[in-house]
Amino acid sequence: MDISGEQQIDAPRERVWEALNDPEILRQCITGCESLEKISDDEMKAEVLAKFGPVKAKFKAKISIEDQIPPASCRLVGEGQGGVAGFAKGAAVITLHESDGGTRLEYKADMQVGGKIAQIGSRLVSGTTNKIVGEFFEKFPTLL
Amino acid sequence: MSVSVVMTVNGEVVAKHVEDRTLLVEFLREHLRLTGTHVGCDTSQCGACVVHANGKSLKSCTALAVQMDGAEITTIEGLANGDVLHPMQEAFRQNHGLQCGFCTPGMVMSAVDLVNENPDPSETEIREWLEGNICRCTGYHNIVKSISAGAKAMREGDPT
Amino acid sequence: MTDNNRGIGEAVVRREDSRFLQGRGQYTDDMNLAGQLFACIVRSQHAHATINSIDGSAAMAMDGVVSVLTHEDFAAYGGVPCGWGVNNKDGSPMAEPKHPILAEGVARHVGDPVAVVIAESPIIARNAAEHVQVSYSELPAVVSMQQALDASAKPIHGDTESNLCFDWELGDREAVDQAIAGAHHVTKLELINNRLVPNAMEPRCAIGDYNSATGDHTLYTTSQNPHVIRLLMGAFVLQIPEHKLRVVSPDVGGGFGSKIYHYAEEAIVTVAAMKLGKPVKWTSDRTEAFISDAHGRDHITTVELALDREGNFLALRESTHANMGAYLSTFAPAVPTYLHSTLLAGQYRTPVIYAEVKAVFTNTVVVDAYRGAGRPEASYLVERVVETAAREMGIDPVELRRKNFIKSFPHDTPVALTYDSGDYAATLDQAMIASDYAGFEARRAEAKQRGKLRGIGIACYVEACGVAPSNIAGALGARAGLYEAATIRVNPTGSISVLTGSHSHGQGHETTFSQLVADKLGIDYDSIDVVHGDTNRIPFGMGTYGSRSLAVGGTAIVNAVDKIIAKGKKIAAHLLEASEADIEFENGEFRVAGTDKMKPFAEIALTAYVPHNFPLEELEPGLEETAFYDPKNFTFPAGTYVCEVEIDPDTGTTEIVSFHASDDFGRIINPMIVEGQVHGGLVQGIGQALLEGCVYDTDSGQLISGSYMDYTMPRADDVPSFSVDTCVTECTHNPLGVKGCGEAGAIGAPPAVMNAIIDALSDYNVRHLDMPATPNKIWSIIHKASAAAA
């Protein structure tokens, strides 16, 4: 499943880049995120309670940040284990462009689910994911 | 966490301590050993577990036992009047409305509730009502026939 | 006393219904043994992955967890066996990779069992299963058969050269090629027979029990054939001799083929019970059933039918790819071969036929026999290609069929079968009248006024039931015999226990077999009991599948009854001081011919058990006889189905407005039960045509139609009431003249429905549409055509 889009943010590129690397801001922007910590410069771990249709599970996720070109772009690769609920994994390329005095954030992600989420909830995965992404960008600018 | 539950099942008062997350169907099958109520799916689609709660049909996999505290539950085991089958049970028997018998308890309980609400349902109404009950054996033909016959028998008033 | 109302041919209400209607049936999951533990199976979430490690320590540390088992605990045992071997075109045997009980280093489909947690309650087991840490390295998954056979695809098994299981053929290739090359017209179709999930309403369940003092194992399991499970699991997997292994299949909530096979979970609970010294129960939930029960169908086929100018069939050529899934299930290789290509003659005189079938391994759940097993796939391709040929040549589809019907019997087909009896024109004529075929165009015009597209479709199917003569099945690769056994135990006071190797999981054997015995012995139906489903109570059995219970199991019962009568005559001759040759048996009485001297059956029974006045020098006391019956041929039920549909062009939804079935099942014992079997089969066939389709994500191999919210089971408001009728030509080689009725509906319905849909869409130039014909597919066709016209 491919998810892509862009978002205009009323803040300079450096500020956006900084915020994207701030675990506390990320935690607040991700619906259901119970914890998020940075283990190193290019690794984070998180616990997210997510619900795909009837399947609700706490996902323990590891995210690595690759190809970092501050403050222009990076690639996020993650995998979340939801126990018997299954797993989700994916990769996203995030690019920040200077635009209209602010920043245009472009994202292009590829996501895959497996196990029970795929079996029961796959019809709902793209809807749910789009909702989580939408909520992220609703909240994100307010915390800058 | 263990909680106490008291309810009336097939006319008898039962009191048990159960885990709070115990489903009504688990309570009936595992705690009361009333195994006539069946589990055919885990997404509340198949209807094999339908019972009556306070006179209305309910998928017993969709309710926790604690939610039924104080309720009157009737399962398939409690439908007949002693040795005399309920008219709906008898109609299923006379019209070959069952084959493997697994969906049957839910079908019968659901059908009785339909007729309580709508004493003279048409074929279309019966088929629509059965949206929440899946049968893999009969092709529904004889179930529909059974429910029509059962409704007629219930109307003609065997007050079971 | 003769029971005239409950003999052969009577619509006797079923005796099993009393318990089912009152919740007093006993299905496997209803049983609970003292001290029993509960197993939860950790299954692969990946379609294909290397298993690096399995760490059960966190699970073991949880309260109430008794054991965590992995492949190593089963290293001493064999794998899950395959019961049928098929040879390649060159005579070499098929690839037969190992099928371990628990995945051994590699998981090969989503749902492949990887570890087992055993705990004191089902909830503890389930929670603990979440804490079993399995480290996987994902491997590329081959999901479609095309992917699997691609030159770049790696074999999913380490012990096979490729993902090709076998490349098999049947028939005279050269003759067929020649006939097709010289034909006036050739119709070619490419079609998919969609993968289905059987979905018996009762999920599978198994309980293992072990008595360490005696060394006796008992397995309670949801099986269609407990003796076969005892043989396969005892002899090939766990090395437990028959006398130490009892297999019990109590009430079973539907099978449709999916409960024939020996599954890993049966071996798991048996081993676990022995290791832990306590009974161990495993109950599948529905989600688990979708990824662990054998699926059905899944063929991709090219078929060509060659005709002369007048429409006579000259030749038929089939090339099929059949999906086996990740491993070979019990009967899997037989399904697309001997149960399929042998039926390609259908009801027609096609002089030459050639079939080639490539079976393929993929990273999906195993595929095996599902109601009809190979024959629905055959009937579908024959009836679709005949229909298409008729349309292409401008010949009435009914007349093209009639013209090519086999009219004399016995008939040798070019694909190895000899049809013993049938009257295809009779079922066709009956169906034409019952469905008012002649009046269809008026109905179509009327529907058009309402804005609906109405279509009519027919299918003339034939199937082979009552598997099988053991010597023929053996020559074709079966690794077991396919007879049936029955014992008639006459009790001292004249009541009768019928012990049958057939197994009833909805078919009503307790009623039908009692009718049979009541009729043959002329005794009261209520004094007869039928016992099935327990290897310790029944001498032997091969079980119920392939519509064989009456034709094979029923014949074994009749033969055992005949032995009872023969012995009874000897006893009666002694008591009546007459010659045995003069004793006649009728209506429950042994009589000296031409006299009024007689002894009732009950007195003969009592004499056999209280042999005070008994010819003990010549005859053993007691009255109990066993018969093993091995059929001489398959039986060949056949019929014509007529389906009428209305399509709403705005939504693409198809409504089945009428459906008529005319079947020839030979002689009928209980017409009520037969009709019920037809109804059920029809809805499974209609489900395949309109609703059901098992869908895997082609990249990841994840099953994405894995629940009743995603896999469309037919519901009551998806189907109509049916018109069902029969014609009778008796089977010539069994004493009852019966043919079997369990699978017909699922075999004949899909082509009838699809032919009707194609007919309804005749204004849109649609030549073929693959099943399931969903509203989305149909709407797209209509929409595209409308857009093109605009």
Side-chain angles (χ1 to χ4, degrees):
Chain A
M1 182 183 44
D2 291 320
I3 306 156
S4 58
E6 55 179 54
Q7 182 79 20
Q8 179 68 29
I9 298 165
D10 192 15
R13 211 154 64 133
E14 288 71 16
R15 176 68 193 115
V16 175
W17 178 268
E18 218 172 82
L20 282 174
N21 280 281
D22 181 337
E24 185 46 32
I25 290 179
L26 292 177
R27 191 189 63 75
Q28 289 180 48
C29 297
I30 299 168
T31 311
C33 185
E34 294 180 349
S35 72
L36 191 143
E37 61 179 295
K38 216 162 171 174
I39 314 168
S40 70
D41 276 354
D42 51 10
E43 267 184 315
M44 291 187 281
K45 69 175 185 181
E47 282 191 1
V48 182
L49 189 70
K51 192 166 179 289
F52 294 93
V55 187
K56 186 177 171 186
K58 187 181 281 186
F59 287 86
K60 290 181 181 162
K62 267 192 222 152
I63 302 144
S64 56
I65 310 159
E66 299 173 357
D67 308 334
Q68 297 192 55
I69 307 171
S73 68
C74 67
R75 184 164 176 270
L76 304 175
V77 181
E79 183 170 346
Q81 278 295 340
V84 286
F87 64 86
K89 59 179 188 176
V93 175
I94 293 176
T95 324
L96 303 180
H97 302 273
E98 286 179 348
S99 153
D100 293 338
T103 307
R104 183 161 48 86
L105 184 153
E106 282 180 12
Y107 58 93
K108 194 170 162 28
D110 176 27
M111 190 174 132
Q112 209 189 80
V113 292
K116 203 169 244 184
I117 319 168
Q119 207 180 332
I120 296 183
S122 56
R123 287 167 297 124
L124 309 157
V125 169
S126 71
T128 306
T129 312
N130 280 323
K131 185 164 168 278
I132 292 172
V133 171
E135 285 166 353
F136 181 93
F137 286 115
E138 215 171 280
K139 199 90 187 265
F140 185 69
T142 68
L143 296 173
L144 294 182
Chain B
M1 194 179 70
S2 180
V3 291
S4 78
V5 188
V6 182
M7 63 180 99
T8 307
V9 178
N10 299 332
E12 282 182 36
V13 176
V14 295
K16 295 265 179 191
H17 287 279
V18 298
E19 277 278 298
D20 52 3
R21 60 184 164 181
T22 306
L23 297 170
L24 177 61
V25 67
E26 292 167 345
F27 182 73
L28 296 170
R29 286 184 59 83
E30 307 302 330
H31 295 265
L32 304 183
R33 293 281 183 244
L34 289 170
T35 54
T37 301
H38 296 149
V39 180
C41 76
D42 43 16
T43 51
S44 298
Q45 303 281 304
C46 81
C49 67
V50 171
V51 298
H52 290 180
N54 299 323
K56 298 288 296 170
S57 61
L58 170 80
K59 287 181 175 172
S60 60
C61 70
T62 59
L64 295 167
V66 292
Q67 289 176 285
M68 291 296 124
D69 196 42
E72 294 245 3
I73 303 292
T74 306
T75 70
I76 191 71
E77 288 95 339
L79 196 61
N81 183 2
D83 289 340
V84 181
L85 293 182
H86 183 280
M88 189 59 76
Q89 289 171 310
E90 187 58 36
F92 270 71
R93 199 169 88 92
Q94 292 300 332
N95 291 283
H96 192 26
L98 63 152
Q99 291 183 22
C100 82
F102 197 79
C103 75
T104 308
M107 284 285 177
V108 171
M109 297 310 283
S110 190
V112 170
D113 189 31
L114 164 65
V115 178
N116 285 340
E117 283 201 4
N118 177 359
D120 190 9
S122 68
E123 173 170 348
T124 306
E125 286 169 334
I126 294 171
R127 288 185 180 276
E128 280 173 4
W129 179 268
L130 292 181
E131 205 276 337
N133 291 81
I134 303 177
C135 169
R136 193 57 152 170
C137 294
T138 64
Y140 303 103
H141 180 112
N142 284 341
I143 290 179
V144 173
K145 207 169 137 193
S146 301
I147 295 175
S148 282
K152 185 161 179 284
M154 283 170 71
R155 281 200 305 279
E156 287 168 3
D158 177 11
T160 311
Chain C
M1 185 183 67
T2 306
D3 197 333
N4 286 325
N5 299 323
R6 291 181 289 182
I8 290 175
E10 300 296 330
V12 181
V13 297
R14 299 196 324 166
R15 70 157 48 127
E16 28 294 78
D17 292 357
S18 297
R19 65 178 189 273
F20 293 146
L21 281 164
Q22 297 180 78
R24 300 289 161 85
Q26 192 171 50
Y27 300 88
T28 309
D29 189 51
D30 298 343
M31 305 175 73
N32 291 288
L33 307 185
Q36 111 194 322
L37 301 171
F38 298 85
C40 178
I41 297 176
V42 178
R43 297 181 183 276
S44 173
Q45 294 182 344
H46 300 287
H48 196 194
T50 305
I51 300 167
N52 304 316
S53 63
I54 304 169
D55 180 1
S57 56
M60 269 308 284
M62 293 170 71
D63 265 356
V65 174
V66 178
S67 181
V68 177
L69 303 175
T70 65
H71 169 70
E72 282 153 27
D73 297 286
F74 293 87
Y77 304 113
V80 180
C82 175
W84 201 297
V86 164
N87 287 342
N88 292 302
K89 286 172 181 164
D90 65 7
S92 61
M94 67 182 186
E96 196 170 351
K98 190 175 179 199
H99 182 179
I101 296 171
L102 290 179
E104 188 182 347
V106 180
R108 292 188 177 84
H109 65 86
V110 172
D112 211 356
V114 172
V116 182
V117 176
I118 294 163
E120 286 164 4
S121 80
I123 285 181
I124 297 173
R126 191 170 292 217
N127 285 346
E130 283 220 45
H131 290 87
V132 175
Q133 301 297 321
V134 185
S135 156
Y136 296 100
S137 297
E138 270 190 85
L139 298 166
V142 288
V143 181
S144 71
M145 293 190 273
Q146 293 90 326
Q147 287 171 347
L149 293 181
D150 191 274
S152 67
K154 275 196 161 175
I156 67 171
H157 290 280
D159 50 353
T160 64
E161 283 172 25
S162 71
N163 291 317
L164 183 69
C165 174
F166 58 76
D167 180 6
W168 172 91
E169 67 180 345
L170 179 70
D172 186 341
R173 173 170 214 154
E174 212 170 303
V176 169
D177 289 351
Q178 268 179 17
I180 288 176
H184 166 74
H185 182 87
V186 178
T187 295
K188 183 175 181 179
L189 269 186
E190 287 177 11
L191 28 85
I192 292 172
N193 206 286
N194 41 330
R195 181 187 270 244
L196 303 176
V197 184
N199 273 311
M201 291 316 297
E202 178 205 25
R204 286 188 298 118
C205 177
I207 309 170
D209 191 17
Y210 179 66
N211 184 330
S212 59
T214 60
D216 290 337
H217 297 264
T218 305
L219 171 69
Y220 301 89
T221 182
T222 48
S223 175
Q224 300 177 216
N225 32 234
H227 284 87
V228 174
I229 302 307
R230 185 181 67 168
L231 176 71
L232 290 173
M233 186 179 84
F236 297 102
V237 187
L238 304 182
Q239 290 83 45
I240 304 169
E242 281 94 336
H243 68 294
K244 289 290 167 196
L245 176 58
R246 175 184 177 200
V247 179
V248 181
S249 300
D251 287 328
V252 172
F256 315 113
S258 69
K259 292 173 182 166
I260 297 172
Y261 324 116
H262 172 44
Y263 286 97
E265 294 86 359
E266 293 168 324
I268 289 170
V269 296
T270 304
V271 170
M274 181 171 60
K275 279 182 190 282
L276 302 172
K278 284 184 176 175
V280 175
K281 182 184 203 175
W282 166 78
T283 306
S284 175
D285 60 30
R286 182 59 59 187
T287 311
E288 195 174 8
F290 269 99
I291 53 172
S292 65
D293 290 1
H295 294 173
R297 317 282 191 257
D298 206 350
H299 287 189
I300 299 175
T301 294
T302 302
V303 58
E304 293 154 281
L305 177 68
L307 304 95
D308 70 12
R309 195 176 299 276
E310 284 74 40
N312 295 302
F313 299 169
L314 302 175
L316 187 138
R317 184 161 63 194
E318 175 204 20
S319 174
T320 284
H321 285 86
N323 200 338
M324 296 283 104
Y327 304 99
L328 286 177
S329 177
T330 309
F331 277 159
V335 176
T337 53
Y338 296 106
L339 297 176
H340 169 71
S341 300
T342 50
L343 272 302
L344 290 175
Q347 298 191 353
Y348 312 111
R349 291 188 311 273
T350 317
V352 287
I353 294 173
Y354 175 76
E356 60 179 351
V357 177
K358 291 183 171 67
V360 184
F361 294 115
T362 59
N363 292 115
T364 62
V365 174
V366 296
V367 181
D368 205 328
Y370 163 60
R371 199 171 196 167
R375 290 152 287 161
E377 297 91 321
S379 155
Y380 182 64
L381 69 86
V382 170
E383 287 305 291
R384 282 291 302 124
V385 79
V386 167
E387 183 79 15
T388 310
R391 287 174 185 278
E392 286 176 349
M393 294 179 73
I395 303 175
D396 179 272
V398 172
E399 290 321 307
L400 182 66
R401 286 177 170 91
R402 192 189 294 279
K403 185 186 187 77
N404 285 282
F405 273 168
I406 294 161
K407 295 188 179 84
S408 69
F409 296 88
H411 173 84
D412 291 326
T413 73
V415 273
L417 297 179
T418 301
Y419 299 171
D420 67 317
S421 67
D423 185 346
Y424 304 146
T427 39
L428 176 65
D429 291 343
Q430 189 186 59
M432 291 296 96
I433 293 165
S435 64
D436 185 23
Y437 192 84
F440 172 72
E441 286 306 330
R443 295 194 291 279
R444 193 201 298 261
E446 186 277 327
K448 196 170 182 180
Q449 302 234 308
R450 288 184 281 112
K452 295 287 173 69
L453 307 169
R454 193 160 175 132
I456 194 164
I458 76 163
C460 300
Y461 77 92
V462 68
E463 59 156 330
C465 291
V467 58
S470 291
N471 53 357
I472 294 179
L476 300 179
R479 292 166 177 168
L482 286 159
Y483 44 82
E484 193 48 272
T487 296
I488 301 294
R489 176 175 297 159
V490 182
N491 300 309
T493 59
S495 69
I496 289 179
S497 302
V498 180
L499 317 181
T500 171
S502 299
H503 186 279
S504 184
H505 29 278
Q507 296 89 339
H509 295 167
E510 292 167 33
T511 303
T512 313
F513 289 167
S514 296
Q515 286 179 256
L516 204 59
V517 174
D519 195 282
K520 289 280 158 195
L521 286 178
I523 61 165
D524 184 10
Y525 169 91
D526 288 327
S527 67
I528 301 161
D529 195 20
V530 173
V531 180
H532 62 96
D534 184 342
T535 59
N536 270 20
R537 296 177 72 192
I538 296 144
F540 205 72
M542 294 311 297
T544 288
Y545 39 83
S547 309
R548 70 195 300 273
S549 298
L550 187 57
V552 190
T555 302
I557 290 172
V558 168
N559 289 355
V561 167
D562 286 343
K563 290 185 185 179
I564 292 285
I565 294 170
K567 184 167 178 183
K569 282 183 178 177
K570 287 189 169 64
I571 300 169
H574 175 83
L575 293 179
L576 295 166
E577 296 175 336
S579 151
E580 186 191 331
D582 290 338
I583 303 290
E584 289 172 345
F585 180 73
E586 204 181 351
N587 293 332
E589 294 173 349
F590 294 91
R591 183 179 296 277
V592 181
T595 75
D596 59 359
K597 288 170 71 181
M598 79 78 181
K599 291 285 177 192
F601 183 79
E603 189 178 332
I604 298 298
L606 189 65
T607 305
Y609 286 96
V610 188
H612 296 165
N613 177 16
F614 197 87
L616 286 166
E617 306 76 37
E618 300 143 40
L619 212 54
E620 294 170 8
L623 196 52
E624 171 167 325
E625 296 289 348
T626 295
F628 281 65
Y629 172 71
D630 202 286
K632 295 178 192 73
N633 191 358
F634 295 92
T635 63
F636 298 96
T640 294
Y641 292 172
V642 185
C643 175
E644 235 170 286
V645 299
E646 278 188 12
I647 292 172
D648 179 343
D650 294 334
T651 61
T653 1
T654 300
E655 183 193 354
I656 296 184
V657 286
S658 75
F659 200 111
H660 175 81
S662 280
D663 294 288
D664 176 2
F665 298 132
R667 198 166 170 215
I668 287 169
I669 308 297
N670 185 325
M672 178 194 80
I673 288 179
V674 167
E675 282 188 18
Q677 289 290 312
V678 174
H679 298 152
L682 290 178
V683 169
Q684 289 183 4
I686 291 168
Q688 168 162 33
L690 293 182
L691 307 165
E692 298 179 45
C694 178
V695 182
Y696 277 93
D697 181 82
T698 45
D699 296 325
S700 64
Q702 294 290 333
L703 176 66
I704 54 177
S705 57
S707 80
Y708 286 160
M709 296 181 298
D710 308 85
Y711 183 92
T712 318
M713 290 283 280
R715 306 203 184 209
D717 56 355
D718 291 317
V719 290
S721 286
F722 301 102
S723 150
V724 172
D725 219 335
T726 53
C727 296
V728 177
T729 64
E730 293 196 358
C731 170
T732 59
H733 53 79
N734 65 48
L736 290 166
V738 297
K739 298 184 178 179
C741 66
E743 296 160 293
I747 293 169
V753 174
M754 294 309 293
N755 287 341
I757 288 174
I758 299 294
D759 185 52
L761 295 174
S762 51
D763 288 348
Y764 296 92
N765 199 25
V766 182
R767 189 166 173 269
H768 177 70
L769 181 63
D770 280 321
M771 302 183 288
T774 57
N776 182 16
K777 278 186 201 170
I778 292 176
W779 184 86
S780 300
I781 286 168
I782 294 172
H783 192 71
K784 218 179 275 174
S786 309

